[in-house]
Each structure stands twice: as structure tokens, then as C-alpha cells.
């Protein structure tokens, strides 16, 4: 348990927040009925926090050998990243809450329980100040309850950082449950506030980061107040409401903001302006998006302008002009593969896929995944992840493209061998749903394994390993520990083929000699003469060998 909030804890908070929002993204999207029922609050919050986490990671990379940054520097980076990447009404408000927290830390290298308590109060106040017409029963209410609970906890003798963070989290859960009765539109739909649910996830991640004991889960609320999210998709837009959401970053002097707020308040509603020190994030719902942008031009320099038409945003996953009965040959369809290694990239590209060559040290963000989907230049896209850690980012990317009229199906392949199996049965001439089912079935019928080298002593499901040991992982779990690559791989193959199989795929990593493949092909032929074996050079750096059995 920690007594101070330092920069590494802030970094952990970012990562846990992103994971929690990724897990809850679809649930929060389904809860989204206020201020506009466009079903994207969870996605917007995920993208906002993803930008915050990336900014904090960049800060740590920049400091490098000089040591860790201070907590204040890390929090400022978190708030700045959230401001730059803020999406939607709730994302912009969350960015302002984080800015309030960062402002409370000043130049302190780290912070204790009292500082965190002050930071949560300042965050709540900043949130209310940023919204033109604050409404109770929203994320603002949840933030205020968290701040009050933190203050009460801090009054206790010997209150710890963890106690304050946990009190804020528990109070946010209770406050979230009460939002249903505080706002008529939530009561009518029988749901809690979507933005408030997202803040509960972020505060739960904070409690986890400093104490490691705050359980997160779908709608983790107190007792009988728990309610179920709406199982349906986005709700129809409220009649008579503004037709467009406009968001942009604005470079402008502080004294230009009152006139901007006044101009935008006349144009529409849901007005939120956050930021400071010359950089602002502007969010408003209007019927005339051009006038909203012109107001920004009058105040300063707007950039990163995003305009969303609510009617199209609330459509189903298929584009409005998508004809299920159209001739399949007339549809344009693409496949996007996420891979590590130039050899794998070449294999997928030769099969007609658009390739996202991922960095071995950093998984691609939802923004990078969305960019790869756009490069496919197709109305229908199948996304092959080939990695167990990318589901949340892929879901957020698919949601972004849905608003652009692109139908995206994410096949959560766990290994490149499953991706290759799916790609092998891809047929653009089939109906989209049929093609996705066939590719998913092919991937699911492929067991996967890989070899890795242990970096240090560790407990595994196969026993204790030491640094330098070769680990054989089958379906993600360590099954074999051995001293040599060839012998370990042979044992892994024997165990996989004991359950049957017709085709073995071997993908050699960077620097692995061809003799390893020759040895394994001969081994399979001796023990299983009816099983075919194919070998590719993947040149992936993370694993010397990938294995697939179909």
C-alpha cells in the first residue's frame, strides 16, 4: 500500500483506467441516453483516456535516463493528453476533471492523502465551471460525491492515500446509482448516467493503483441500487434537439473566452469549454456547425475540428446505404492484419490484406487501428488482431469507423497463426456475415503455441523457470520448460498433435536458423506421417517460433 502518489503510480492509474474503460466500453455506450442518445460515450471516454495514457508514456520516454518525472509532471501530461484527445461531452468534462487534479499538485514531487483530497475537490469545481449549464444526475454529480467523501475520509486520524482514494470510489458508485432518479431521461430509460459510469471506472482504477483492492466490474454499484444497462443499441435522437456535435481545439487568449462562450450558447446547448494557458477544448451541440466553427475563428485558431451528425451517428452498425441483398460482387471488402515481423507482414500483404506492422514494445492504439482500417479503402472490413491485448482498442476503432459508414468485424485472433488460417479462407465474393463466420471458424479451429525465453526466475503453470529457460506456451499458458529451443518445440508439438491435427504451421522468428524448421518437420513426419507441415519466416522479434495446428 502506498503513502504517496508518485509518477509511476500516475502511469499505472492511466493504464488501469484504459483497461477498465475498455472492458466497460460497450456497456457505457448502451447506457448513453443523455445529453444526446448517440451511443458513443464509452468509446469517447476510452479514446480520451487513451490519449492521456500515451502522453504520460511519452513523458517517461523523454525523461529516460534522467529518472522518473514528478507526480505533478505526470498529472499535467495526463491532463494535457486528455485535453488533446477529448471526445464527446463526457470526454471533454473528464479532461477538465483531470486538469483540476493536476492543478492541485503544484510543484510537489509526490502527494499524500491531503493533496489527493484537495485535488478531487478542485477537479469537481473545475468540472462545474466548465459546463455552461450544469445538470445534476450526470458525471458532475458523481465527481462532487467523490470529492465530498474524500474530504470526510481525510478528516479521519491517520487517513492514508489508499483510504481517501477508496472512499472517493465507493461514494462515486453510490452517487452513480442515484443518477437514475435525479434525471428524468435516465429514469425513463431505467439506466444510470453513462459519463458517471465512466468516471466510476477511472476512480476505481485510481483506488487500484494506490491500494490494489478496489474491484472493478460491469456496473459495480452498491447493493439494491444496482441496475442493468439497456440491452439495445443507441436510442433515437430526441426530437427537436440540435443536429450536430462540434468539437475542436482552440488556440486563444483567456480574455477571448467569455465572448466565445456567449456566442456558442446562443447557437446551441451542451456547451463545455475546458483548458487554459492558451489551449482550449470546445464542445457544443448545434444545428449550424459552420457558425460554431466561425465563432472559434473569431476567438482564435480552431484546429482538430470534428463535426458529427447525430442522425448518422445513431444508425446501426451497417451504413445507411448498405443493401443486404445486393450482389456480393459489387461490394468492396478489405482485411486488416496486425502483425509483428516483416516476414509476417509480407505474407499477409501477399494475400491481399492491409497490414499494420506493430511495434514489438508498444501495442497499436485505437487511432492507429482506425487509420489502418481507413487505408483498406473498403465499406466492409475484417480486422484480424493476432494479439490478446488489442480487443478494447479494436472495439473503439471499429466504433469510430461505424460513424464513418464503414462496417467493421473484429475477429479476436490470439496469434498470427490463427490470423493466417482466417485469411486463407477469406472470400470477398461471399456475403459479409458469411465471410466473417468462415474466417472466425477457421481461426477458432487453429490451436496456437509459441516459444519464449524467460527473462528471470518465475512461477509458471509448468513449474519454476530460470532466466534463459525456453518456455513453450500452448494457448497462452506455459506448458513446457526446457533448456533448448529444438527439444522444447518438439515436446510442444507432440502435446498439441496428441489431440489430433491435419496441418502444422511453423513461423520462424528473427535470427532463428532454418535448421530448426528442418528438425521439427522431420520430427512431425516421423511421429505423424499423415500430418502436413508448412514453414514461413515471420521475422518476429518477440518469439523465436510460432506454432499452429489445424
Amino acid at each position: 500500500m502506498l503513502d504517496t502518489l508518485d509518477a509511476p503510480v500516475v502511469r499505472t492509474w492511466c493504464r488501469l483506467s484504459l483497461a477498465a474503460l475498455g472492458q466497460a466500453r460497450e456497456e457505457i455506450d448502451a447506457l448513453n441516453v443523455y445529453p444526446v442518445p448517440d451511443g458513443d460515450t464509452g468509446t469517447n471516454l476510452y479514446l480520451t483516456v487513451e490519449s492521456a495514457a500515451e502522453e504520460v508514456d511519452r513523458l517517461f520516454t523523454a525523461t529516460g535516463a534522467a529518472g522518473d518525472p514528478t507526480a505533478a509532471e505526470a498529472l499535467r501530461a495526463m491532463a494535457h493528453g486528455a485535453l488533446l484527445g477529448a471526445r464527446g461531452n463526457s470526454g471533454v468534462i473528464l479532461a477538465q476533471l483531470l486538469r483540476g487534479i493536476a492543478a492541485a499538485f503544484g510543484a510537489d514531487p509526490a502527494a499524500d492523502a491531503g493533496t489527493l483530497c484537495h485535488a478531487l475537490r478542485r477537479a469537481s469545481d473545475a468540472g462545474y465551471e466548465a459546463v455552461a449549464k450544469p445538470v445534476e444526475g450526470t458525471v458532475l454529480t458523481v465527481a462532487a460525491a467523490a470529492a465530498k467523501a474524500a474530504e470526510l475520509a481525510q478528516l479521519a486520524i491517520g487517513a492514508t492515500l489508499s483510504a481517501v482514494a477508496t472512499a472517493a470510489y465507493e461514494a462515486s458508485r453510490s452517487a452513480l446509482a442515484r443518477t437514475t432518479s435525479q434525471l428524468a431521461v435516465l429514469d425513463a430509460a431505467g439506466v444510470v448516467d453513462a459519463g458517471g459510469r465512466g468516471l466510476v471506472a477511472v476512480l476505481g482504477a485510481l483506488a487500484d493503483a494506490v491500494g490494489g483492492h478496489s474491484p472493478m466490474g460491469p456496473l459495480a454499484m452498491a447493493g439494491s441500487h444496482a441496475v442493468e444497462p439497456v440491452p439495445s443499441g443507441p436510442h433515437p435522437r430526441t426530437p427537436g434537439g440540435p443536429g450536430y456535435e462540434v468539437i475542436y481545439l482552440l488556440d486563444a487568449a483567456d480574455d477571448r473566452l467569455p465572448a466565445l462562450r456567449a456566442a456558442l450558447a446562443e447557437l446551441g446547448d451542451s456547451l463545455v469549454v475546458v483548458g487554459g494557458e492558451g489551449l482550449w477544448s470546445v464542445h457544443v451541440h448545434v444545428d449550424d456547425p459552420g457558425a460554431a466553427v466561425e465563432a472559434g475563428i473569431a476567438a482564435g485558431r480552431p484546429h482538430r475540428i470534428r463535426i458529427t451528425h447525430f442522425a448518422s451517428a445513431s444508425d446501426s452498425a451497417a451504413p445507411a446505404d448498405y443493401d443486404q441483398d445486393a450482389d456480393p460482387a459489387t461490394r468492396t471488402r478489405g482485411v486488416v492484419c496486425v502483425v509483428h515481423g516483416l516476414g509476417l507482414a509480407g505474407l499477409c500483404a501477399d494475400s491481399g490484406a492491409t497490414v499494420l506492422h506493430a511495434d514489438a514494445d508498444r501495442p497499436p492504439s485505437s487511432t492507429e487501428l482506425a487509420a489502418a482500417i481507413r487505408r483498406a479503402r473498403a465499406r466492409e472490413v475484417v480486422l484480424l488482431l493476432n494479439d490478446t491485448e488489442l480487443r478494447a482498442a479494436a472495439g473503439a476503432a471499429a466504433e469510430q469507423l461505424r460513424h464513418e459508414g464503414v462496417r467493421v468485424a473484429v475477429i479476436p485472433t490470439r496469434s498470427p497463426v490463427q490470423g493466417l488460417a482466417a485469411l486463407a479462407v477469406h472470400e470477398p465474393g461471399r456475403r459479409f456475415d458469411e465471410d466473417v463466420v468462415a474466417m472466425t471458424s477457421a481461426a477458432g479451429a487453429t490451436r496456437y503455441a509459441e516459444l519464449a525465453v524467460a527473462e528471470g526466475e518465475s512461477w509458471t503453470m509448468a513449474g519454476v523457470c530460470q532466466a534463459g529457460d525456453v518456455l513453450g506456451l500452448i494457448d497462452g499458458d506455459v506448458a513446457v520448460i526446457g533448456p533448448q529451443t529444438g527439444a522444447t518445440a518438439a515436446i510442444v508439438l507432440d502435446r498439441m498433435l496428441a489431440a489430433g491435427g491435419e496441418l502444422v504451421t511453423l513461423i520462424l522468428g528473427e535470427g532463428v536458423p532454418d535448421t530448426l524448421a528442418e528438425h521439427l518437420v522431420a520430427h512431425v513426419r516421423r511421429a505423424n506421417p499423415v500430418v502436413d507441415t508448412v514453414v514461413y519466416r515471420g521475422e518476429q522479434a518477440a518469439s523465436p517460433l510460432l506454432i499452429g495446428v489445424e
Side-chain angles (χ1 to χ4, degrees):
M1 189 176 297
L2 302 168
D3 294 325
T4 59
L5 181 66
D6 58 15
V9 174
V10 174
R11 192 181 198 184
T12 300
W13 179 25
C14 285
R15 292 174 174 176
L16 291 177
S17 295
L18 190 61
L21 288 170
Q23 179 184 0
R25 183 187 63 81
E26 292 183 353
E27 172 199 331
I28 297 172
D29 281 346
L31 293 169
N32 180 197
V33 298
Y34 180 85
V36 174
D38 46 358
D40 61 359
T41 293
T43 300
N44 287 336
L45 288 170
Y46 180 90
L47 295 171
T48 301
V49 173
E50 183 181 56
S51 178
E54 290 174 347
E55 193 72 14
V56 172
D57 285 341
R58 277 192 286 270
L59 174 65
F60 273 79
T61 301
T63 54
D68 290 339
T70 66
E73 290 170 336
L75 286 166
R76 283 197 295 271
M78 184 179 183
H80 184 68
L83 180 68
L84 294 178
R87 300 291 187 97
N89 189 67
S90 294
V92 173
I93 293 175
L94 178 61
Q96 183 70 350
L97 296 176
L98 294 175
R99 181 176 174 81
I101 290 175
F105 276 69
D108 292 346
D112 58 12
T115 311
L116 178 59
C117 175
H118 174 57
L120 291 172
R121 169 53 62 192
R122 187 155 181 175
S124 175
D125 292 345
Y128 275 92
E129 292 168 1
V131 178
K133 296 180 179 179
V135 175
E136 295 305 320
T138 65
V139 63
L140 297 176
T141 307
V142 175
K148 182 177 181 179
E151 290 169 342
L152 293 175
Q154 202 269 329
L155 292 175
I157 297 175
T160 63
L161 181 70
S162 179
V164 169
T166 300
Y169 168 57
E170 295 293 347
S172 73
R173 292 170 58 192
S174 297
L176 176 65
R178 293 192 296 270
T179 59
T180 305
S181 61
Q182 292 174 312
L183 203 54
V185 66
L186 300 180
D187 188 40
V191 298
V192 295
D193 180 64
R197 172 64 177 101
L199 182 59
V200 168
V202 173
L203 291 175
L206 175 61
D208 279 339
V210 300
H213 55 71
S214 180
M216 291 302 302
L219 279 180
M221 295 181 296
S224 61
H225 294 292
V227 298
E228 292 299 320
V230 184
S232 62
H235 302 265
R237 183 167 68 92
T238 303
Y244 295 88
E245 176 186 62
V246 179
I247 301 179
Y248 52 79
L249 290 177
L250 179 69
D251 296 329
D254 293 6
D255 60 5
R256 307 301 296 273
L257 268 295
L260 173 66
R261 286 191 174 98
L264 293 176
E266 290 184 3
L267 290 172
D269 57 27
S270 296
L271 173 60
V272 185
V273 180
V274 306
E277 300 176 356
L279 179 63
W280 308 85
S281 180
V282 178
H283 171 280
V284 67
H285 295 171
V286 295
D287 280 321
D288 187 348
V293 175
E294 288 173 2
I297 294 173
R301 186 180 73 88
H303 51 106
R304 293 197 188 184
I305 301 168
R306 291 191 296 271
I307 299 174
T308 303
H309 186 223
F310 288 127
S312 60
S314 62
D315 285 342
S316 64
D321 61 348
Y322 181 79
D323 182 1
Q324 193 70 24
D325 298 321
D327 180 1
T330 66
R331 300 183 190 138
T332 56
R333 184 176 308 157
V335 177
V336 173
C337 294
V338 182
V339 299
H340 300 273
L342 294 176
L344 279 169
L347 283 172
C348 294
D350 289 344
S351 298
T354 299
V355 173
L356 174 55
H357 192 196
D359 190 327
D361 299 324
R362 184 184 66 82
S365 67
S366 63
T367 301
E368 291 168 320
L369 290 169
I373 295 170
R374 292 187 185 97
R375 287 205 311 273
R377 298 184 181 279
R379 284 173 38 195
E380 303 168 337
V381 176
V382 179
L383 177 58
L384 301 174
L385 300 179
N386 304 327
D387 190 324
T388 59
E389 304 298 322
L390 295 180
R391 293 191 184 188
E399 184 67 15
Q400 292 181 72
L401 272 295
R402 179 178 71 84
H403 291 324
E404 298 174 19
V406 179
R407 195 179 186 200
V408 181
V410 180
I411 299 181
T413 46
R414 294 169 171 263
S415 167
V417 294
Q418 290 186 324
L420 291 176
L423 196 56
V425 301
H426 167 56
E427 290 186 13
R430 273 194 297 232
R431 291 178 180 271
F432 185 61
D433 292 339
E434 293 174 356
D435 200 28
V436 170
V437 168
M439 296 175 73
T440 302
S441 298
T446 304
R447 297 188 67 199
Y448 66 97
E450 66 174 307
L451 298 190
V453 179
E455 297 181 354
E457 182 178 359
S458 179
W459 289 89
T460 75
M461 294 185 65
V464 180
C465 68
Q466 304 295 330
D469 283 348
V470 179
L471 308 179
L473 291 83
I474 299 177
D475 293 336
D477 295 322
V478 177
V480 181
I481 301 174
Q484 297 178 340
T485 302
T488 305
I491 296 173
V492 169
L493 279 167
D494 289 342
R495 292 194 181 183
M496 295 180 75
L497 289 170
E502 299 176 354
L503 175 66
V504 170
T505 301
L506 304 175
I507 302 178
L508 302 181
E510 186 178 36
V512 175
D514 292 336
T515 52
L516 173 64
E518 295 169 0
H519 164 71
L520 294 176
V521 169
H523 177 82
V524 171
R525 186 177 299 119
R526 286 194 300 271
N528 302 271
V530 298
V531 175
D532 294 326
T533 305
V534 293
V535 180
Y536 301 110
R537 291 214 66 94
E539 302 299 339
Q540 68 278 0
S543 174
L545 181 67
L546 302 174
I547 302 172
V549 174
E550 299 177 49

